[in-house]
Amino acid sequence: MTGDSYSVKQSVIPFSLFTTADIALFQAGSHYRLYEKFGAHPTTCDGIPGTYFAVWAPDAAYVAVMSDFNDWDKYSHTLLPRWDSSGIWEGFIPDVAAGNLYKYFIRSNSGEELFKGDPYANYWEVRPKTASIVHPLDYKWKDKSWMERRKEHNSLKKPISVYEMHMGSWRRPDPANEEKYYSYGEITKMLLPYVKEMGFTHVELMPVMEHPFDGSWGYQITGYYAPTSRYGTPQEFMEMIDAFHQEGIGVILDWVPSHFPYDAHGLFRFDGSHTYEYADMRKGYHPDWNSYIFNYGRSEVRSFLLSNAIYWLDKYHADGLRVDAVASMIHLDYSRERGTWEPNEYGGNENLEAISFVKKLNETVYALYPDVQTIAEESTSFYGVSRPTFLGGLGFGMKWMMGWMNDTLDYFHKDPVHRKWYQNDLTFSVVYAFSENFMLPFSHDEVVHGKSPMLYKMPGDEWQKFANLRLMYSYMFTHPGTKLLFMGDEFGQTSEWNYKSELDWHLLKFRPHEALKNYVKALNQLYTSTPALYEQQFEGAGFEWITVNDYDNCVLVYLRKGVKPEDQLLVALNMTPVPREQYLVGVPMAGTWKEVLNSDDPKYYGSGVVNTLEQPSTKQTYNGRDYTLTLRLPPLGAAIFQYYPPK
């Protein structure tokens, strides 16, 4: 090839996908489809096939594409800075096609030289390699039926029971080899029938966005626009979500707009300046996670994050985003000692820029995709996390009920002989249960770092541990709110979660573990088929205490109510190992009650203290109610009854 023909075929041609409106929206912090502009886009220019590159590097003096097509030359393919002071470098390079590896070589105005991956790359090399890959996102979806009806599935008035999982450690080809993974397709073939069998309505995937360090579990992201290549291609991930949708299962993605790592190829000091993070490390550095915090006050960063949220809903048909570490975003003093943070302009500890961004995020998501949910992991009592922005809230669809989770685990950890002194730990949650749209989580965070697996948080011998766990799950599934359970919790994992291996599936050979799994399946079936448990799960009208002050016996009884008066469920919980025979319960109406689930049923590894016959209420005042039931309450057990009006 001659030098002339080489320059014609390989030089960077001036070309742009950006319009004036794109630039204005980008600089206003309101662009939500930047993934259609930035990154590497195979296209044609004057009939020549190639790839258009665009990157934001406002403090760069020089930007070039270095790639396997130019032997990683830093100077042969220089991008062109836009004339509008937007900080965008762009250009069309002929003959670059899908599959080519690339990075950006950036020389900052200070003279520093950096080698960066593409913040908008759709696909990356498998770690520890760090190059981006030119990769189109064409895919023919087959989930039309789901997408047309998913408003029903994702409605706050419908049951939402979520199976939280980590893709790499649910199952492995070789549990002893942390370098081997199943592909997206292989995981789907095993996971989809399991989730359906168990009765979960949704799966939540811990972050699948590209990340360099397995030990971060995906929470320290370098490739915000790429599903990790550990398990396959973007299209194979799309196919996974597609398969779940075709079987009626929703897919929620963990999303991390709170912080990012300092890996050399990532976002940190992208062009030699603090491009994506706050320059003031009192706001820009996260001491807990040794990572860096997005600059929510910079419009271009807001557009980057806003577009990223929409990207997963648009290109991957995600049914929701669980937004990680919201408390750390909206509080300037989060995990910081006195004197290491600076108050906002009003003297408070709120990050007003982050709060503004979160509101904008939720307004945009729900305007474009009203049939999805955003879910906040927010651990404080901040007002209105799941309330509309026009009422002063943050605009999320739901919020994790962290207080309920902590109080519940503390209570069940106690020996039953002491529980009567701590009944308020359980009853307190109802005081604030309807102040937000709460999701009840037993998440991955509760079974790592020495906290012990769920089963071993329970007191007593083996039988009591399993009985306590079934009882606690009964309380969870009948308490107001949606549900989330981490993988392994459903069958009584006996070791802490280890991302390097897989769950202890061999435990299902043992009757107690198999019985617990079957009980969680039964709870899901009850929750998803009983309107009383979900129609008013965020409203006070859906809950009524019946017995709340029987401290000596450690018994709690409450009603769950649907919209129809006859849709009522009575839940009786006995927190001690002493069976309660002939236990009187006052109820407000005449009728018959039939036991529909009992955690002490022998088929669930219980002792068999069940209510086999229908229980008619008698006209006798008890505990302030006009009618009385006489029940058997199982040891460390839950008895759940369906109401039938008088004929």
Side-chain angles (χ1 to χ4, degrees), residues 16-26 31 37 82-84:
S16 184
L17 292 178
F18 286 92
T19 65
T20 303
D22 285 326
I23 300 301
L25 288 169
F26 176 49
H31 206 308
K37 311 293 178 176
R82 284 184 64 88
W83 61 92
D84 51 16

Side-chain angles (χ1 to χ4, degrees), residues 168-169 171-181 498-504:
S169 59
R171 285 189 184 271
R172 281 184 184 268
D174 179 357
N177 186 349
E178 62 180 287
E179 290 301 316
K180 286 191 176 180
Y181 298 100
N498 177 9
Y499 71 90
K500 296 181 179 181
S501 187
E502 69 170 12
L503 298 182
D504 297 331

Side-chain angles (χ1 to χ4, degrees), residues 388-438:
T389 57
F390 63 79
L391 293 178
L394 293 183
F396 285 97
M398 284 176 274
K399 170 182 172 173
W400 274 19
M401 199 174 188
M402 311 289 274
W404 170 89
M405 178 196 69
N406 291 324
D407 289 346
T408 299
L409 290 175
D410 283 348
Y411 177 88
F412 276 93
H413 183 69
K414 291 177 170 63
D415 189 298
V417 74
H418 301 304
R419 285 179 178 171
K420 65 180 180 180
W421 307 110
Y422 297 94
Q423 290 296 93
N424 290 342
D425 285 2
L426 289 191
T427 59
F428 177 64
S429 64
V430 179
V431 172
Y432 64 96
F434 309 107
S435 63
E436 299 274 6
N437 298 334
F438 279 119

Side-chain angles (χ1 to χ4, degrees), residues 527-543:
Y527 172 50
T528 56
S529 64
T530 309
L533 290 177
Y534 60 77
E535 281 185 340
Q536 302 189 97
Q537 57 192 341
F538 302 121
E539 301 168 35
F543 182 91

Side-chain angles (χ1 to χ4, degrees), residues 282-293:
R282 290 176 296 180
K283 291 172 74 173
Y285 176 70
H286 203 299
D288 282 357
W289 303 319
N290 195 22
S291 57
Y292 292 85
I293 300 168

